[in-house]
Amino acid sequence: MKRVRTEQIQYAVTQYLKRRQYVDIDGSPKGAKLFQSPEEMAASLTVQAESGCTNVVSAAPCQSDPHQYENQYSRLRSFLSETEIPWAKEVSGLLFPLFVYLHLDMVRSGLKGAVDGFYSRFHGAFLHDGEQRGVVEQLRHVLTAQDIAANAKLSAFLEHKFMVHLSEPAFSYLLRYLQSEDNSALCRVLSTHLQVEVSASRRTDYQLYGGAAGATTANSTATWAGVEGPEGGDGVEVPAGIPQSEAALEALQDSIKKVREGPPSLTTICFYAFHHTEQVLNTAEVSADSRLLAAGFDSSAVKLWSLRARKLKAKAHQADVSRVHLACDVLEEEGDDEESSGSEIKMLRAHSGPVYRTAFLTDSSGLLSCSEDSTVRYWDLGSFTNSVLYQGHSYPVWDVDVSPCSLYFASGSHDRTARLWTFSRTYPLRLYAGHLADVDCVKFHPNSNYLATGSTDKTVRLWSTQQGASVRLFTGHRGPVLSLAFSPNGKYLASAGEDQRVKLWDLASGTLFKDLRGHTDSVSSLSFSPDSSLVASASMDNSVRVWDIRNSHGGTPTDGSSGELVGLFTGNTSSVLNVQFMACNLLLVTGTAQEKTEP
């Protein structure tokens, strides 16, 4: 009879498998067992692909080697008895339930020889405890599955899970051991018959050394907890902590609440004063890493100071070629020796008009400056040269700001527009038009999706960075808006200007959140603390005020300032230019010093 093509293929495959001594589907297996059941294959693949701590216990492969029970239990017992780690004693509480369930598992699998050897080797360790001794003695007379079914207590062991309490470090210690070698029998018992309750370690006091053992043993232990169910009774619950620990926790929570809701601690002030700069200094800013100080002058120059002991030194040029010195490359008249060793001050010249604002990149690798000459320039702080010239405005540029990740920067000008730029292009990407007068200040939202602008038309606008549309209009100022600041959490926008008021706007609702009064002259700079709880303002009245925007504390100050005022700082200054909150609750202030008049 002629075979169809399918039968021919099947016959050819079968003959090939026979020649290779693989299992024949029509005959008995030859040699070693080379196939797995779907359950075994799934478990094996799961262990290989997901061998994390959470899956070690539940993904144990299903094997029934007669000697694996005794070998794996003996290895665990020796491991726990030989180590001096404090968690080993806690994990040792698992030895008794493992002994019981491994013994019952071998009886149900019909491994009589293995059962006798396993029992005779390990049962003596549990004869000292009365309750454990009773269970162990009943195991000695159990030889078949029918014997287990006839014993009510042993049947209850199989019908209900044995509960064990472990602390989190002890449980992690157990999982690391189970992952170290082949512990399939132990993992199967832990997954099927045991319920491990993991509790976080809690300490009664604050310790740095030697406190782990005492805290772990006192608060979470692994002991005989009984068998759940009507026959085994309710398990014994281990207390989660002692009253002293609860009292300490409540006291700590109360202290945290007082710190959060109470008046904040005053910030530390660091003031950088410029001497002999009356009427010529327009702006000053410190880099985010507190390494450099930049200042812009009416003389069209930008000066850089090193705030550390290390001098400023330009990096060597990559190519050894002849250079033509242009005006933008002339940093300072300095000799060859000074150029090789570096200097504490660098002069950056390229603008053709007064410099009104400078802004560092977030990583302090570059500096932006804007000027009356209607341009924005990028300075490479590695070589201290002008690398890029950005042109687009037709009138003086009053302000420039860099986005949080230094992807974009924005500028505001006398031409009543703000513009969005990227460092890689010399032309603007977006133009924001809508103000009726000069755009005096610009500021990026912390997520860089929005840009705020303040104008001489007494309004503040919030723009969508990408779409270029105005999404918020804030009105209420009675004079030009000179300064803006976003809170780091992105919820509030602070604005201030010639009306001597600091206004806080809720961005979500678009309404006025707080109106802070106290300054007696125009407010020139604003800055939020890193936790968004404080806002600092600098004014031409030569004062710096710190406000707590969460709530007001105490009564109204005698000078008529708002109740949110928590700090007032004045000194021998003729003007305060800029305030910047830095890390560690440090407030950096820059301004001009008051010159002494000779009699």
Side-chain angles (χ1 to χ4, degrees), residues 294-327:
F297 294 85
D298 270 351
S299 61
S300 75
V302 177
K303 280 189 177 183
L304 281 175
W305 282 267
S306 174
L307 300 181
R308 298 182 180 177
R310 185 178 304 174
K311 293 184 178 181
L312 301 177
K313 182 179 179 181
K315 295 181 180 178
H317 294 281
Q318 299 296 329
D320 187 12
V321 297
S322 300
R323 298 182 59 218
V324 178
H325 291 275
L326 303 177

Side-chain angles (χ1 to χ4, degrees), residues 511-527:
T511 58
L512 181 65
F513 176 62
K514 285 184 181 294
D515 188 3
L516 309 176
R517 63 187 184 278
H519 285 292
T520 58
D521 206 337
S522 300
V523 180
S524 57
S525 180
L526 296 170
S527 180

Side-chain angles (χ1 to χ4, degrees), residues 360-363 402-409 423:
F360 284 97
L361 272 65
T362 52
D363 58 357
V402 181
S403 65
C405 296
S406 297
L407 297 177
Y408 306 101
F409 67 91
F423 291 92

Side-chain angles (χ1 to χ4, degrees), residues 249-291:
L249 179 60
E250 292 179 1
L252 177 61
Q253 292 176 343
D254 185 58
S255 300
I256 294 175
K257 184 178 179 181
K258 289 181 178 179
V259 170
R260 288 178 176 175
E261 299 180 357
S265 57
L266 290 181
T267 180
T268 302
I269 301 290
C270 180
F271 184 74
Y272 291 99
F274 291 83
H275 290 268
H276 310 293
T277 58
E278 193 84 27
Q279 302 298 326
V280 293
L281 178 64
N282 295 321
T283 181
E285 183 182 8
V286 180
S287 61
D289 57 6
S290 303
R291 185 173 59 90

Side-chain angles (χ1 to χ4, degrees), residues 212-444:
T216 302
T217 305
N219 295 310
S220 17
T221 57
T223 59
W224 161 246
V227 180
E228 295 181 346
E231 299 178 12
D234 298 331
V236 179
E237 293 291 337
V238 179
I242 57 178
Q244 291 84 350
S245 175
E246 294 292 342
L249 179 60
E250 292 179 1
L252 177 61
Q253 292 176 343
D254 185 58
S255 300
I256 294 175
K257 184 178 179 181
K258 289 181 178 179
V259 170
R260 288 178 176 175
E261 299 180 357
S265 57
L266 290 181
T267 180
T268 302
I269 301 290
C270 180
F271 184 74
Y272 291 99
F274 291 83
H275 290 268
H276 310 293
T277 58
E278 193 84 27
Q279 302 298 326
V280 293
L281 178 64
N282 295 321
T283 181
E285 183 182 8
V286 180
S287 61
D289 57 6
S290 303
R291 185 173 59 90
L292 298 172
L293 172 61
F297 294 85
D298 270 351
S299 61
S300 75
V302 177
K303 280 189 177 183
L304 281 175
W305 282 267
S306 174
L307 300 181
R308 298 182 180 177
R310 185 178 304 174
K311 293 184 178 181
L312 301 177
K313 182 179 179 181
K315 295 181 180 178
H317 294 281
Q318 299 296 329
D320 187 12
V321 297
S322 300
R323 298 182 59 218
V324 178
H325 291 275
L326 303 177
C328 59
D329 294 323
V330 179
L331 305 180
E332 200 173 17
E333 295 182 1
E334 50 190 15
D336 296 338
D337 295 338
E338 185 179 4
E339 185 175 355
S340 59
S341 61
S343 61
E344 294 182 356
I345 304 176
K346 290 289 184 181
M347 182 83 75
L348 310 179
R349 295 186 184 274
H351 285 290
S352 58
V355 177
Y356 293 122
R357 187 74 65 186
T358 59
F360 284 97
L361 272 65
T362 52
D363 58 357
S364 302
S365 62
L367 177 73
L368 289 174
S369 61
C370 61
S371 170
E372 187 184 48
D373 60 11
S374 72
T375 65
V376 178
R377 293 180 181 267
Y378 173 78
W379 305 87
D380 182 3
L381 298 185
S383 60
F384 301 103
T385 57
N386 180 210
S387 301
V388 189
L389 171 65
Y390 302 97
Q391 292 179 309
H393 289 287
S394 54
Y395 288 94
V397 182
W398 303 125
D399 194 17
V400 64
D401 185 52
V402 181
S403 65
C405 296
S406 297
L407 297 177
Y408 306 101
F409 67 91
S411 58
S413 171
H414 177 61
D415 61 11
R416 304 180 182 180
T417 66
R419 301 178 189 234
L420 180 72
W421 312 75
T422 183
F423 291 92
S424 59
R425 292 178 172 84
T426 58
Y427 53 85
L429 303 179
R430 296 284 188 277
L431 186 146
Y432 307 102
H435 284 291
L436 305 178
D438 298 27
V439 178
D440 296 315
C441 50
V442 293
K443 185 65 66 174
F444 275 98

Side-chain angles (χ1 to χ4, degrees), residues 14 33 84 143 165 194 205 318 365 432 450:
T14 303
K33 181 180 179 182
E84 296 182 356
L143 302 177
H165 294 270
L194 270 71
D205 53 5
Q318 299 296 329
S365 62
Y432 307 102
Y450 302 98

